[in-house]
Amino acid sequence: MTKIVYEIVEHDGGWAYKLDDVFSETFDSKEQATAAANDVAARQQVSGESETIQYQDEDGVWREEDEAGDDRPDVEVRDAKP
């Protein structure tokens, strides 16, 4: 199972959540950033319909796969380490 970790960090004069090197919008408070990250994490747990997807891999080759709508990641929200 895929694991996603959103970290709550100071960013651009406020607070944000980030995944790897990608930041959310900036929020005025740490509490607002945490609430937004928890909302995103909850939405990722919602199952959907199974579908066939198409994507281009790192070599530029187009692929097609059947994806189960109930295959959801394990998501965590935490404060960034100092």
Side-chain angles (χ1 to χ4, degrees):
M1 177 182 285
T2 301
K3 177 149 186 169
I4 296 173
V5 178
Y6 290 109
E7 293 183 309
I8 308 302
V9 296
E10 290 186 68
H11 178 66
D12 204 20
W15 292 87
Y17 60 90
K18 73 174 198 155
L19 176 62
D20 297 326
D21 294 328
V22 179
F23 292 88
S24 71
E25 64 185 284
T26 303
F27 296 89
D28 292 333
S29 71
K30 184 177 183 180
E31 291 76 20
Q32 288 173 323
T34 301
N38 284 324
D39 181 55
V40 168
R43 289 172 187 247
Q44 289 179 321
Q45 299 307 302
V46 176
S47 294
E49 297 291 322
S50 295
E51 295 187 23
T52 300
I53 63 168
Q54 294 180 335
Y55 64 95
Q56 193 172 19
D57 69 15
E58 62 275 356
D59 295 322
V61 176
W62 282 95
R63 306 281 182 184
E64 187 172 291
E65 293 180 7
D66 293 324
E67 289 295 322
D70 61 353
D71 182 19
R72 310 310 308 153
D74 180 24
V75 185
E76 179 183 347
V77 175
R78 68 175 176 215
D79 284 339
K81 295 180 175 118

